[in-house]
């Protein structure tokens, strides 16, 4: 089974959204046979990836950074989407953190990188805004020798 994990920005600017969506579809449709998608289901890239992976028929493994992770969703729509996607997961992995923190996010991201054959990063190439951000997980995966596919729209900066 091919295992593909995701890391990425929570906010994808409108100018980049269609290019990112098309890139995810192309990547996830390029594999024959069974596939497992690993995501923390954060708003933005994680949820978009999970949605497309489920459309493709992949098994979804949800990696939850902390016990209070749901409290970090400020937007009711994003929380509802998180819950809906989580309910469709084949497997749920919980990190041993009671509260959301940079360390919890880093642990979830490195778990995804460790347990994936490929990491897809919805990333503008800029440094992380906190430990466990997209660039940290990309750097970690590359240090492991994992293939990393970066998707973004050139010239667009994250919000």
């Amino acid at each position: 089974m091919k295992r593909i994990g995701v890391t990425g920005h929570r906010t994808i600017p409108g100018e980049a959204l269609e290019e990112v969506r098309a890139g995810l579809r192309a990547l996830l449709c390029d594999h024959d046979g069974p596939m497992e998608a690993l995501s923390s289901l954060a708003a933005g890239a994680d949820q978009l990836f999970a949605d497309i992976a489920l459309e493709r028929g992949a098994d979804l493994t949800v990696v939850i950074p902390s016990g209070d992770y749901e409290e970090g969703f400020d937007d009711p729509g994003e929380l509802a989407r998180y819950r809906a996607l989580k309910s469709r997961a084949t497997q749920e992995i919980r990190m041993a953190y009671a509260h959301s923190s940079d360390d919890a996010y880093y642990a979830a991201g490195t778990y995804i990188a460790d347990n994936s054959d490929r990491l897809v990063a919805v990333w503008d190439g800029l440094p992380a805004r906190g430990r466990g951000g997209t660039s940290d997980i990309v750097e970690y995966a590359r240090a492991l020798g994992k293939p990393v596919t970066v998707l973004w729209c050139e010239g667009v900066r994250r919000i």
Side-chain angles (χ1 to χ4, degrees), residues 67 73 76 148:
F73 287 88
V148 176

Side-chain angles (χ1 to χ4, degrees), residues 95-117:
M95 300 293 99
Y97 291 86
H99 302 289
S100 291
S101 65
D102 288 351
D103 287 340
Y105 299 139
Y106 187 78
T110 57
Y111 180 93
I112 289 171
D114 286 338
N115 290 281
S116 298
D117 301 313

Side-chain angles (χ1 to χ4, degrees), residues 132-149:
T134 304
S135 67
D136 292 341
I137 304 309
V138 168
E139 182 180 324
Y140 178 85
R142 286 179 172 161
L144 293 176
K146 301 275 177 149
V148 176
T149 300

Side-chain angles (χ1 to χ4, degrees), residues 29-49:
C29 290
D30 190 36
H31 299 285
D32 292 326
M35 182 173 40
E36 179 183 359
L38 292 89
S39 173
S40 290
L41 299 181
D46 286 14
Q47 290 185 0
L48 182 60
F49 169 83

